[in-house]
Amino acid sequence: MTDFEHHVALYSRDLMRFCYKLCGNQHDAEDLFQETWVKALKNYARYQSDKSFKTWLFAICANTFRDTVKEKYRTSKALFQNAEEKERFLHSIPTRNEDIDLYLDLYDALHKLPKKHRLVIGLYYFQEFSHREIAQILSIPEGTVASRLNTAKKLLKRRLSDE
């Protein structure tokens, strides 16, 4: 197994979850996932082995999301392409049935956040990156990461309390 194959085996699951959180549907998440790995493979010679591969990979994913699909998701209103996709998503959540409505409210609120806030929330809470790692991934200052997280939490709280 090559080093790159090792990275694919190690990070594919986390990357797919992140792609899904960014895109909100299986089809687009799979496209983003594939495009991220293609770009990672093309640029693997540039990867600096003294740095975190996961941070480098998620930076590629975040940039790909930003560059190729931002307009689509800024204007998108639908969370799921169809009922089957929604059902598949709901069954993938390890939770009790009575919690599904609460989760969907949070999911809906997350996808109504501006992209820059959704990215930091996804990286911080769902992928457990530090402020410093998020700053590296998104090429922004650490203070901006903290500010965006704070704003995102306030927006989520407001949206969830309104609903």
Side-chain angles (χ1 to χ4, degrees):
M1 181 184 288
T2 67
D3 283 344
F4 190 80
E5 289 170 333
H6 173 74
H7 292 307
V8 170
L10 192 59
Y11 298 115
S12 283
R13 186 178 175 131
D14 288 342
L15 181 64
M16 187 63 207
R17 272 194 232 121
F18 182 61
C19 290
Y20 195 89
K21 291 203 182 342
L22 289 177
C23 296
N25 70 71
Q26 190 70 30
H27 177 73
D28 291 335
E30 289 170 356
D31 287 347
L32 178 60
F33 176 84
Q34 183 176 354
E35 183 65 23
T36 299
W37 280 118
V38 167
K39 286 182 178 182
L41 181 59
K42 273 182 164 175
N43 295 297
Y44 190 64
R46 290 190 200 166
Y47 166 64
Q48 299 170 0
S49 60
D50 61 325
K51 308 267 186 199
S52 165
F53 183 84
K54 187 175 181 181
T55 301
W56 182 75
L57 179 67
F58 277 66
I60 292 171
C61 182
N63 289 332
T64 301
F65 175 75
R66 228 183 320 206
D67 295 342
T68 61
V69 296
K70 68 181 176 182
E71 190 59 37
K72 179 179 178 184
Y73 291 103
R74 189 179 303 144
T75 60
S76 175
K77 302 241 189 254
L79 295 176
F80 300 99
Q81 297 282 339
N82 54 46
E84 179 186 326
E85 185 177 82
K86 180 178 180 180
E87 197 62 31
R88 189 171 53 235
F89 172 74
L90 290 175
H91 282 63
S92 73
I93 303 168
T95 186
R96 298 183 321 248
N97 284 339
E98 58 268 18
D99 294 334
I100 288 175
D101 287 338
L102 294 173
Y103 186 84
L104 283 178
D105 289 343
L106 175 60
Y107 178 80
D108 186 43
L110 280 169
H111 281 275
K112 288 180 180 175
L113 287 176
K115 175 184 51 88
K116 65 183 182 181
H117 295 109
R118 195 173 11 160
L119 278 168
V120 294
I121 288 283
L123 290 167
Y124 186 76
Y125 288 105
F126 299 110
Q127 294 302 321
E128 300 178 355
F129 280 109
S130 68
H131 286 207
R132 181 182 315 165
E133 291 169 321
I134 295 169
Q136 290 172 349
I137 289 169
L138 300 178
S139 301
I140 58 176
E142 280 185 62
T144 303
V145 171
S147 174
R148 287 182 184 177
L149 275 172
N150 188 41
T151 301
K153 287 188 281 187
K154 287 178 182 176
L155 289 169
L156 282 174
K157 183 177 180 181
R158 188 176 322 137
R159 286 199 173 122
L160 291 172
S161 65
D162 288 346
E163 295 172 6

